[in-house]
Amino acid sequence: SIKMDLLHSNGVLIIQHLQRDYRAYQDFLNFMSHVGDPRNIFSIYFPLWFQLNQVVGTKMIWVAVIGDWFNLIFKWILFGHRPYWWVQETMIYPNQSSPCLEQFPITCETGPGSPSGHAMGSSCVWYVMVTAALRYTVRWKDKSAVTLHRLTWSFLWSIFWIIQISVCISRVFIATHFPHQVVLGVFAGILVAEAFEHTPAIQTASLRMYIKTNLFLFIFALGFYLSLKLLDIDLLWSVPKAKKWCANPDWINIDTTPFAGLVRNLGALSGLGLGINSEMFIKSCKGKNSRKLSFRILCIAASLATLQLYNFVKIPTHTEYLFYILSFFKSAAMPLTVVALVPYCVHSLMRTTEKKLN
């Protein structure tokens, strides 16, 4: 406990330093925090990659879902505090002279803080993207191509670490994580992504496999929560702390609670399973049009546009259980749209156009 308090107090000093000396970069750091938001995986990265390479896109969803599930379990096990409430409750500062940490609209996360979900989600999905891009260049054989591959390798991994460091700094800057929490998140995300580099079975998974996986993830998480609750250990202990110490009650968002993330991920995996095993996917993404660049570009543009419209669909938050149910279906609709609905519509449109021209 003393060592952890020392780690936290040193982290507070780093946060104070960032908030004081990096004030000019506030907008950039807030932006990088949004870049690391796990929800961007489903609304931006996945639509792009799935239409370019279905293997990479499928892996991305699996990595994001399993990674975020592990993040939830780790949070429940580690009981990590967040800086913006820890400084208000700790007794290590003399005369109750707690350091003043500035809060922002995205500071008031309600779940436990360790490991960082943003850092973990960002590292795992960017790891998938970088390794996928490098897989194309590793096949080059001639001498000049080998040199180009090495340069590409250095460039892409440099970009990877620049993004991860920026996301980590941004999460520390807004006082929602201690430094050790973001570092742990980055390396945990890399481990999850690397594990899926050696799990080819997900590419041929049946709908039954998706259902079984979803049931296991849900039952294990719920069983873990209820088991500890019977032992009088409340795994939602962080929610009242967030509500108590958040500078603005409007910044508290039910979407950041532990179960909200679980429901969102289960919905996304369900939508992917339904989409990949649907007739619409087989007719459109497995047909001759799928090899055309125009088909892929249209699918990317239509998918991104449609998913941005989903952001305007606001789920009511007055009833928690209703929010979780609607959040599940909204999350399922996103990959289903990218995998099946949009490609099928584009395929039908191109086929109709070809018939008219003939």
CSV table of all heavy atoms in Angstrom, one decimal, residues 240-296:
chain,number,residue,atom,x,y,z
A,240,PRO,N,-19.5,5.4,-7.7
A,240,PRO,CA,-19.8,6.5,-6.8
A,240,PRO,C,-18.6,7.5,-6.6
A,240,PRO,O,-18.9,8.6,-6.3
A,240,PRO,CB,-20.2,5.8,-5.5
A,240,PRO,CG,-19.7,4.4,-5.7
A,240,PRO,CD,-19.7,4.1,-7.1
A,241,LYS,N,-17.4,7.0,-6.7
A,241,LYS,CA,-16.3,7.9,-6.5
A,241,LYS,C,-16.2,8.9,-7.7
A,241,LYS,O,-15.9,10.1,-7.5
A,241,LYS,CB,-15.0,7.1,-6.5
A,241,LYS,CG,-14.7,6.3,-5.2
A,241,LYS,CD,-13.4,5.6,-5.2
A,241,LYS,CE,-13.2,4.8,-3.9
A,241,LYS,NZ,-13.0,5.6,-2.7
A,242,ALA,N,-16.5,8.4,-8.9
A,242,ALA,CA,-16.5,9.3,-10.0
A,242,ALA,C,-17.6,10.3,-9.9
A,242,ALA,O,-17.3,11.5,-10.2
A,242,ALA,CB,-16.7,8.4,-11.3
A,243,LYS,N,-18.7,9.9,-9.5
A,243,LYS,CA,-19.9,10.8,-9.3
A,243,LYS,C,-19.6,11.9,-8.2
A,243,LYS,O,-20.0,13.0,-8.3
A,243,LYS,CB,-21.1,10.1,-9.0
A,243,LYS,CG,-21.7,9.2,-10.2
A,243,LYS,CD,-22.9,8.5,-9.8
A,243,LYS,CE,-23.5,7.7,-11.0
A,243,LYS,NZ,-24.7,6.9,-10.6
A,244,LYS,N,-18.9,11.4,-7.2
A,244,LYS,CA,-18.6,12.3,-6.1
A,244,LYS,C,-17.6,13.4,-6.4
A,244,LYS,O,-17.7,14.6,-6.0
A,244,LYS,CB,-18.1,11.5,-4.9
A,244,LYS,CG,-17.8,12.3,-3.6
A,244,LYS,CD,-17.4,11.4,-2.5
A,244,LYS,CE,-17.1,12.3,-1.2
A,244,LYS,NZ,-16.7,11.4,-0.1
A,245,TRP,N,-16.5,13.0,-7.1
A,245,TRP,CA,-15.4,13.9,-7.3
A,245,TRP,C,-15.3,14.5,-8.7
A,245,TRP,O,-14.3,15.3,-8.9
A,245,TRP,CB,-14.1,13.2,-7.0
A,245,TRP,CG,-14.0,12.7,-5.5
A,245,TRP,CD1,-14.0,11.5,-5.1
A,245,TRP,CD2,-14.0,13.6,-4.4
A,245,TRP,NE1,-14.0,11.4,-3.7
A,245,TRP,CE2,-13.9,12.7,-3.2
A,245,TRP,CE3,-14.0,15.0,-4.2
A,245,TRP,CZ2,-13.9,13.2,-2.0
A,245,TRP,CZ3,-13.9,15.4,-2.9
A,245,TRP,CH2,-13.9,14.6,-1.8
A,246,CYS,N,-16.2,14.2,-9.6
A,246,CYS,CA,-16.1,14.8,-10.9
A,246,CYS,C,-16.6,16.3,-10.8
A,246,CYS,O,-17.5,16.6,-10.1
A,246,CYS,CB,-17.1,14.1,-11.9
A,246,CYS,SG,-17.0,14.8,-13.6
A,247,ALA,N,-15.8,17.2,-11.4
A,247,ALA,CA,-16.0,18.6,-11.2
A,247,ALA,C,-17.4,19.1,-11.8
A,247,ALA,O,-17.9,20.0,-11.3
A,247,ALA,CB,-14.9,19.4,-11.9
A,248,ASN,N,-17.9,18.3,-12.8
A,248,ASN,CA,-19.1,18.7,-13.4
A,248,ASN,C,-20.0,17.4,-13.6
A,248,ASN,O,-19.6,16.5,-14.3
A,248,ASN,CB,-18.9,19.3,-14.8
A,248,ASN,CG,-20.1,19.9,-15.4
A,248,ASN,OD1,-21.2,19.5,-15.1
A,248,ASN,ND2,-19.9,20.8,-16.4
A,249,PRO,N,-21.1,17.4,-13.0
A,249,PRO,CA,-22.0,16.2,-13.1
A,249,PRO,C,-22.4,15.8,-14.5
A,249,PRO,O,-22.6,14.6,-14.8
A,249,PRO,CB,-23.2,16.5,-12.3
A,249,PRO,CG,-22.8,17.6,-11.4
A,249,PRO,CD,-21.7,18.4,-12.1
A,250,ASP,N,-22.4,16.8,-15.4
A,250,ASP,CA,-22.7,16.5,-16.8
A,250,ASP,C,-21.6,15.7,-17.5
A,250,ASP,O,-21.9,15.2,-18.6
A,250,ASP,CB,-22.9,17.9,-17.6
A,250,ASP,CG,-24.2,18.6,-17.1
A,250,ASP,OD1,-25.1,17.9,-16.5
A,250,ASP,OD2,-24.3,19.8,-17.2
A,251,TRP,N,-20.4,15.7,-16.9
A,251,TRP,CA,-19.4,14.9,-17.6
A,251,TRP,C,-19.4,13.5,-17.3
A,251,TRP,O,-18.7,12.7,-17.8
A,251,TRP,CB,-18.0,15.5,-17.1
A,251,TRP,CG,-17.8,16.9,-17.6
A,251,TRP,CD1,-18.5,17.6,-18.5
A,251,TRP,CD2,-16.7,17.8,-17.1
A,251,TRP,NE1,-18.0,18.9,-18.7
A,251,TRP,CE2,-16.9,19.0,-17.8
A,251,TRP,CE3,-15.7,17.7,-16.2
A,251,TRP,CZ2,-16.0,20.1,-17.6
A,251,TRP,CZ3,-14.9,18.8,-16.0
A,251,TRP,CH2,-15.0,20.0,-16.7
A,252,ILE,N,-20.3,13.1,-16.3
A,252,ILE,CA,-20.4,11.7,-16.0
A,252,ILE,C,-21.3,11.0,-17.1
A,252,ILE,O,-22.4,11.4,-17.4
A,252,ILE,CB,-21.1,11.5,-14.6
A,252,ILE,CG1,-20.2,12.0,-13.5
A,252,ILE,CG2,-21.4,10.0,-14.4
A,252,ILE,CD1,-19.0,11.2,-13.2
A,253,ASN,N,-20.7,9.9,-17.7
A,253,ASN,CA,-21.4,9.3,-18.8
A,253,ASN,C,-21.6,7.8,-18.5
A,253,ASN,O,-20.6,7.1,-18.2
A,253,ASN,CB,-20.6,9.5,-20.1
A,253,ASN,CG,-21.4,9.1,-21.3
A,253,ASN,OD1,-22.4,8.3,-21.3
A,253,ASN,ND2,-21.0,9.6,-22.5
A,254,ILE,N,-22.8,7.3,-18.6
A,254,ILE,CA,-23.0,5.9,-18.3
A,254,ILE,C,-22.3,5.0,-19.3
A,254,ILE,O,-22.0,3.8,-19.0
A,254,ILE,CB,-24.6,5.6,-18.4
A,254,ILE,CG1,-24.9,4.2,-17.8
A,254,ILE,CG2,-25.1,5.8,-19.8
A,254,ILE,CD1,-26.3,3.9,-17.8
A,255,ASP,N,-21.9,5.6,-20.4
A,255,ASP,CA,-21.2,4.8,-21.5
A,255,ASP,C,-19.8,4.4,-21.0
A,255,ASP,O,-19.2,3.6,-21.7
A,255,ASP,CB,-21.2,5.6,-22.8
A,255,ASP,CG,-20.9,4.7,-24.0
A,255,ASP,OD1,-21.3,3.6,-23.9
A,255,ASP,OD2,-20.3,5.2,-24.9
A,256,THR,N,-19.3,5.0,-19.9
A,256,THR,CA,-18.0,4.6,-19.5
A,256,THR,C,-18.0,3.6,-18.3
A,256,THR,O,-16.9,3.2,-17.8
A,256,THR,CB,-17.2,5.9,-19.0
A,256,THR,OG1,-17.9,6.4,-17.8
A,256,THR,CG2,-17.2,6.9,-20.1
A,257,THR,N,-19.2,3.2,-17.9
A,257,THR,CA,-19.3,2.2,-16.8
A,257,THR,C,-18.7,0.8,-17.3
A,257,THR,O,-18.8,0.5,-18.5
A,257,THR,CB,-20.7,2.0,-16.3
A,257,THR,OG1,-21.5,1.6,-17.4
A,257,THR,CG2,-21.2,3.3,-15.8
A,258,PRO,N,-18.3,0.0,-16.4
A,258,PRO,CA,-17.7,-1.3,-16.8
A,258,PRO,C,-18.6,-2.2,-17.7
A,258,PRO,O,-18.2,-2.8,-18.7
A,258,PRO,CB,-17.4,-2.0,-15.5
A,258,PRO,CG,-17.1,-0.9,-14.5
A,258,PRO,CD,-18.1,0.2,-15.0
A,259,PHE,N,-19.9,-2.3,-17.3
A,259,PHE,CA,-20.8,-3.1,-18.0
A,259,PHE,C,-21.2,-2.5,-19.4
A,259,PHE,O,-21.6,-3.3,-20.3
A,259,PHE,CB,-22.1,-3.4,-17.2
A,259,PHE,CG,-21.9,-4.5,-16.2
A,259,PHE,CD1,-21.9,-4.2,-14.8
A,259,PHE,CD2,-21.7,-5.8,-16.6
A,259,PHE,CE1,-21.8,-5.2,-13.9
A,259,PHE,CE2,-21.5,-6.8,-15.7
A,259,PHE,CZ,-21.6,-6.5,-14.3
A,260,ALA,N,-21.1,-1.2,-19.5
A,260,ALA,CA,-21.4,-0.6,-20.8
A,260,ALA,C,-20.4,-1.0,-21.9
A,260,ALA,O,-20.8,-1.4,-23.0
A,260,ALA,CB,-21.4,0.9,-20.7
A,261,GLY,N,-19.1,-1.1,-21.5
A,261,GLY,CA,-18.1,-1.6,-22.4
A,261,GLY,C,-18.3,-3.0,-22.8
A,261,GLY,O,-18.1,-3.4,-23.9
A,262,LEU,N,-18.7,-3.9,-21.8
A,262,LEU,CA,-18.9,-5.3,-22.0
A,262,LEU,C,-20.0,-5.5,-23.0
A,262,LEU,O,-19.9,-6.2,-24.0
A,262,LEU,CB,-19.2,-6.0,-20.7
A,262,LEU,CG,-19.6,-7.5,-20.8
A,262,LEU,CD1,-18.4,-8.3,-21.3
A,262,LEU,CD2,-20.1,-8.0,-19.5
A,263,VAL,N,-21.1,-4.8,-22.8
A,263,VAL,CA,-22.3,-4.9,-23.7
A,263,VAL,C,-22.0,-4.4,-25.1
A,263,VAL,O,-22.4,-5.1,-26.1
A,263,VAL,CB,-23.5,-4.1,-23.1
A,263,VAL,CG1,-24.6,-4.0,-24.1
A,263,VAL,CG2,-24.0,-4.7,-21.8
A,264,ARG,N,-21.2,-3.3,-25.2
A,264,ARG,CA,-20.8,-2.8,-26.5
A,264,ARG,C,-20.0,-3.8,-27.3
A,264,ARG,O,-20.2,-4.0,-28.5
A,264,ARG,CB,-20.1,-1.5,-26.3
A,264,ARG,CG,-19.7,-0.8,-27.6
A,264,ARG,CD,-19.1,0.6,-27.3
A,264,ARG,NE,-17.9,0.5,-26.5
A,264,ARG,CZ,-17.9,1.1,-25.3
A,264,ARG,NH1,-19.0,1.7,-24.8
A,264,ARG,NH2,-16.8,1.0,-24.5
A,265,ASN,N,-19.1,-4.5,-26.6
A,265,ASN,CA,-18.2,-5.4,-27.3
A,265,ASN,C,-18.9,-6.7,-27.7
A,265,ASN,O,-18.7,-7.3,-28.8
A,265,ASN,CB,-17.0,-5.8,-26.4
A,265,ASN,CG,-16.0,-4.6,-26.3
A,265,ASN,OD1,-15.7,-4.0,-27.3
A,265,ASN,ND2,-15.6,-4.3,-25.1
A,266,LEU,N,-19.8,-7.2,-26.8
A,266,LEU,CA,-20.6,-8.4,-27.1
A,266,LEU,C,-21.5,-8.1,-28.3
A,266,LEU,O,-21.7,-9.0,-29.2
A,266,LEU,CB,-21.5,-8.8,-25.9
A,266,LEU,CG,-20.7,-9.3,-24.7
A,266,LEU,CD1,-21.7,-9.7,-23.6
A,266,LEU,CD2,-19.8,-10.4,-25.0
A,267,GLY,N,-22.1,-6.9,-28.4
A,267,GLY,CA,-22.9,-6.5,-29.6
A,267,GLY,C,-22.1,-6.5,-30.8
A,267,GLY,O,-22.5,-7.0,-31.9
A,268,ALA,N,-20.9,-5.9,-30.8
A,268,ALA,CA,-20.0,-5.8,-32.0
A,268,ALA,C,-19.6,-7.2,-32.5
A,268,ALA,O,-19.7,-7.5,-33.7
A,268,ALA,CB,-18.8,-5.0,-31.7
A,269,LEU,N,-19.3,-8.1,-31.6
A,269,LEU,CA,-18.9,-9.5,-32.0
A,269,LEU,C,-20.1,-10.2,-32.6
A,269,LEU,O,-20.0,-11.0,-33.5
A,269,LEU,CB,-18.3,-10.2,-30.8
A,269,LEU,CG,-17.6,-11.5,-31.1
A,269,LEU,CD1,-16.4,-11.3,-32.0
A,269,LEU,CD2,-17.1,-12.2,-29.9
A,270,SER,N,-21.3,-10.0,-32.0
A,270,SER,CA,-22.5,-10.6,-32.5
A,270,SER,C,-22.8,-10.1,-33.9
A,270,SER,O,-23.1,-10.9,-34.8
A,270,SER,CB,-23.7,-10.3,-31.6
A,270,SER,OG,-23.5,-10.9,-30.3
A,271,GLY,N,-22.6,-8.8,-34.1
A,271,GLY,CA,-22.9,-8.2,-35.4
A,271,GLY,C,-21.9,-8.8,-36.5
A,271,GLY,O,-22.3,-9.0,-37.6
A,272,LEU,N,-20.7,-8.9,-36.1
A,272,LEU,CA,-19.7,-9.5,-37.0
A,272,LEU,C,-20.0,-10.9,-37.4
A,272,LEU,O,-20.0,-11.3,-38.6
A,272,LEU,CB,-18.3,-9.4,-36.4
A,272,LEU,CG,-17.2,-10.0,-37.3
A,272,LEU,CD1,-16.9,-9.2,-38.5
A,272,LEU,CD2,-15.9,-10.1,-36.5
A,273,GLY,N,-20.4,-11.7,-36.4
A,273,GLY,CA,-20.8,-13.1,-36.7
A,273,GLY,C,-22.0,-13.2,-37.6
A,273,GLY,O,-22.0,-14.0,-38.5
A,274,LEU,N,-23.0,-12.4,-37.3
A,274,LEU,CA,-24.2,-12.5,-38.2
A,274,LEU,C,-23.9,-12.0,-39.6
A,274,LEU,O,-24.3,-12.6,-40.6
A,274,LEU,CB,-25.3,-11.5,-37.6
A,274,LEU,CG,-26.0,-12.0,-36.3
A,274,LEU,CD1,-26.8,-10.9,-35.7
A,274,LEU,CD2,-26.8,-13.3,-36.6
A,275,GLY,N,-23.0,-11.0,-39.7
A,275,GLY,CA,-22.7,-10.4,-41.0
A,275,GLY,C,-21.9,-11.4,-41.9
A,275,GLY,O,-22.2,-11.7,-43.0
A,276,ILE,N,-20.9,-12.0,-41.3
A,276,ILE,CA,-20.0,-12.9,-42.0
A,276,ILE,C,-20.7,-14.2,-42.5
A,276,ILE,O,-20.4,-14.8,-43.5
A,276,ILE,CB,-18.7,-13.2,-41.2
A,276,ILE,CG1,-17.8,-12.0,-41.2
A,276,ILE,CG2,-18.0,-14.4,-41.7
A,276,ILE,CD1,-16.5,-12.2,-40.5
A,277,ASN,N,-21.6,-14.6,-41.7
A,277,ASN,CA,-22.4,-15.8,-42.0
A,277,ASN,C,-23.7,-15.6,-42.7
A,277,ASN,O,-24.6,-16.5,-42.7
A,277,ASN,CB,-22.6,-16.6,-40.7
A,277,ASN,CG,-21.3,-17.2,-40.1
A,277,ASN,OD1,-20.8,-18.2,-40.5
A,277,ASN,ND2,-20.7,-16.5,-39.1
A,278,SER,N,-23.9,-14.4,-43.2
A,278,SER,CA,-25.2,-14.1,-43.9
A,278,SER,C,-25.1,-14.3,-45.4
A,278,SER,O,-24.0,-14.3,-46.0
A,278,SER,CB,-25.5,-12.6,-43.6
A,278,SER,OG,-24.6,-11.7,-44.2
A,279,GLU,N,-26.2,-14.4,-46.0
A,279,GLU,CA,-26.2,-14.6,-47.5
A,279,GLU,C,-25.8,-13.3,-48.2
A,279,GLU,O,-25.2,-13.4,-49.3
A,279,GLU,CB,-27.7,-15.0,-47.9
A,279,GLU,CG,-28.1,-16.4,-47.6
A,279,GLU,CD,-27.2,-17.4,-48.4
A,279,GLU,OE1,-26.9,-17.1,-49.6
A,279,GLU,OE2,-26.9,-18.5,-47.8
A,280,MET,N,-26.1,-12.2,-47.6
A,280,MET,CA,-25.7,-10.9,-48.2
A,280,MET,C,-24.2,-10.8,-48.3
A,280,MET,O,-23.7,-10.3,-49.3
A,280,MET,CB,-26.3,-9.7,-47.4
A,280,MET,CG,-27.8,-9.5,-47.5
A,280,MET,SD,-28.4,-8.0,-46.7
A,280,MET,CE,-28.1,-8.5,-44.9
A,281,PHE,N,-23.5,-11.2,-47.3
A,281,PHE,CA,-22.1,-11.2,-47.3
A,281,PHE,C,-21.5,-12.1,-48.4
A,281,PHE,O,-20.6,-11.7,-49.2
A,281,PHE,CB,-21.5,-11.6,-46.0
A,281,PHE,CG,-20.0,-11.8,-45.9
A,281,PHE,CD1,-19.2,-10.7,-45.9
A,281,PHE,CD2,-19.5,-13.1,-46.0
A,281,PHE,CE1,-17.8,-10.9,-45.9
A,281,PHE,CE2,-18.1,-13.2,-45.9
A,281,PHE,CZ,-17.2,-12.1,-45.9
A,282,ILE,N,-22.1,-13.3,-48.5
A,282,ILE,CA,-21.6,-14.3,-49.5
A,282,ILE,C,-21.8,-13.8,-50.9
A,282,ILE,O,-21.0,-13.9,-51.8
A,282,ILE,CB,-22.3,-15.6,-49.2
A,282,ILE,CG1,-21.9,-16.2,-47.9
A,282,ILE,CG2,-22.0,-16.6,-50.3
A,282,ILE,CD1,-22.6,-17.4,-47.4
A,283,LYS,N,-23.0,-13.2,-51.1
A,283,LYS,CA,-23.3,-12.8,-52.5
A,283,LYS,C,-22.5,-11.5,-52.9
A,283,LYS,O,-22.2,-11.4,-54.1
A,283,LYS,CB,-24.8,-12.4,-52.6
A,283,LYS,CG,-25.7,-13.6,-52.6
A,283,LYS,CD,-27.2,-13.2,-52.7
A,283,LYS,CE,-28.1,-14.5,-52.7
A,283,LYS,NZ,-29.5,-14.1,-52.8
A,284,SER,N,-22.2,-10.7,-52.0
A,284,SER,CA,-21.5,-9.4,-52.3
A,284,SER,C,-20.0,-9.5,-52.2
A,284,SER,O,-19.3,-9.3,-53.1
A,284,SER,CB,-22.1,-8.3,-51.5
A,284,SER,OG,-21.9,-8.6,-50.1
A,285,CYS,N,-19.5,-9.9,-51.0
A,285,CYS,CA,-18.1,-9.9,-50.7
A,285,CYS,C,-17.4,-11.1,-51.2
A,285,CYS,O,-16.1,-11.1,-51.1
A,285,CYS,CB,-17.9,-9.7,-49.2
A,285,CYS,SG,-18.4,-8.1,-48.5
A,286,LYS,N,-18.1,-12.1,-51.6
A,286,LYS,CA,-17.5,-13.3,-52.2
A,286,LYS,C,-17.7,-13.4,-53.7
A,286,LYS,O,-17.2,-14.4,-54.3
A,286,LYS,CB,-18.0,-14.6,-51.5
A,286,LYS,CG,-17.7,-14.7,-50.0
A,286,LYS,CD,-16.2,-14.8,-49.8
A,286,LYS,CE,-15.9,-15.0,-48.3
A,286,LYS,NZ,-14.5,-15.1,-48.0
A,287,GLY,N,-18.4,-12.4,-54.2
A,287,GLY,CA,-18.7,-12.5,-55.7
A,287,GLY,C,-17.6,-11.8,-56.5
A,287,GLY,O,-16.5,-11.3,-56.0
A,288,LYS,N,-17.8,-11.7,-57.8
A,288,LYS,CA,-16.8,-11.1,-58.7
A,288,LYS,C,-16.6,-9.6,-58.4
A,288,LYS,O,-15.5,-9.1,-58.7
A,288,LYS,CB,-17.1,-11.3,-60.1
A,288,LYS,CG,-18.4,-10.7,-60.6
A,288,LYS,CD,-18.7,-11.0,-62.1
A,288,LYS,CE,-20.0,-10.2,-62.5
A,288,LYS,NZ,-20.2,-10.5,-64.0
A,289,ASN,N,-17.6,-8.9,-58.0
A,289,ASN,CA,-17.5,-7.5,-57.7
A,289,ASN,C,-16.5,-7.2,-56.6
A,289,ASN,O,-16.0,-6.1,-56.5
A,289,ASN,CB,-18.9,-6.9,-57.4
A,289,ASN,CG,-19.7,-6.6,-58.7
A,289,ASN,OD1,-19.1,-6.3,-59.7
A,289,ASN,ND2,-21.0,-6.6,-58.6
A,290,SER,N,-16.4,-8.1,-55.7
A,290,SER,CA,-15.5,-7.9,-54.5
A,290,SER,C,-14.1,-7.6,-54.9
A,290,SER,O,-13.3,-7.1,-54.1
A,290,SER,CB,-15.6,-9.1,-53.6
A,290,SER,OG,-15.1,-10.2,-54.1
A,291,ARG,N,-13.7,-8.1,-56.1
A,291,ARG,CA,-12.3,-7.9,-56.5
A,291,ARG,C,-12.1,-6.6,-57.2
A,291,ARG,O,-10.9,-6.2,-57.5
A,291,ARG,CB,-11.9,-9.1,-57.5
A,291,ARG,CG,-11.9,-10.4,-56.8
A,291,ARG,CD,-11.3,-11.5,-57.7
A,291,ARG,NE,-12.3,-11.8,-58.8
A,291,ARG,CZ,-13.2,-12.7,-58.7
A,291,ARG,NH1,-13.4,-13.4,-57.5
A,291,ARG,NH2,-14.0,-13.0,-59.7
A,292,LYS,N,-13.1,-5.8,-57.4
A,292,LYS,CA,-13.0,-4.5,-58.1
A,292,LYS,C,-12.7,-3.4,-57.1
A,292,LYS,O,-13.3,-3.4,-56.0
A,292,LYS,CB,-14.3,-4.2,-58.8
A,292,LYS,CG,-14.7,-5.2,-60.0
A,292,LYS,CD,-16.0,-4.8,-60.6
A,292,LYS,CE,-16.4,-5.7,-61.7
A,292,LYS,NZ,-17.7,-5.3,-62.3
A,293,LEU,N,-11.7,-2.6,-57.5
A,293,LEU,CA,-11.3,-1.5,-56.6
A,293,LEU,C,-12.5,-0.5,-56.4
A,293,LEU,O,-12.7,0.0,-55.3
A,293,LEU,CB,-10.1,-0.7,-57.2
A,293,LEU,CG,-9.6,0.5,-56.4
A,293,LEU,CD1,-9.1,0.0,-55.0
A,293,LEU,CD2,-8.5,1.2,-57.2
A,294,SER,N,-13.3,-0.3,-57.4
A,294,SER,CA,-14.5,0.6,-57.3
A,294,SER,C,-15.5,0.1,-56.3
A,294,SER,O,-16.0,0.9,-55.5
A,294,SER,CB,-15.1,0.8,-58.7
A,294,SER,OG,-15.6,-0.5,-59.2
A,295,PHE,N,-15.6,-1.2,-56.2
A,295,PHE,CA,-16.6,-1.8,-55.2
A,295,PHE,C,-16.1,-1.5,-53.8
A,295,PHE,O,-16.8,-1.1,-53.0
A,295,PHE,CB,-16.7,-3.3,-55.5
A,295,PHE,CG,-17.5,-4.1,-54.4
A,295,PHE,CD1,-18.8,-4.1,-54.5
A,295,PHE,CD2,-16.8,-4.7,-53.4
A,295,PHE,CE1,-19.6,-4.7,-53.5
A,295,PHE,CE2,-17.5,-5.4,-52.5
A,295,PHE,CZ,-18.9,-5.4,-52.5
A,296,ARG,N,-14.8,-1.7,-53.6
A,296,ARG,CA,-14.2,-1.5,-52.3
A,296,ARG,C,-14.3,-0.1,-51.8
A,296,ARG,O,-14.6,0.3,-50.7
A,296,ARG,CB,-12.8,-2.0,-52.2
A,296,ARG,CG,-12.7,-3.5,-52.5
A,296,ARG,CD,-11.2,-4.0,-52.3
A,296,ARG,NE,-11.1,-5.4,-52.5
A,296,ARG,CZ,-10.0,-6.1,-52.3
A,296,ARG,NH1,-8.9,-5.5,-51.9
A,296,ARG,NH2,-10.0,-7.4,-52.6
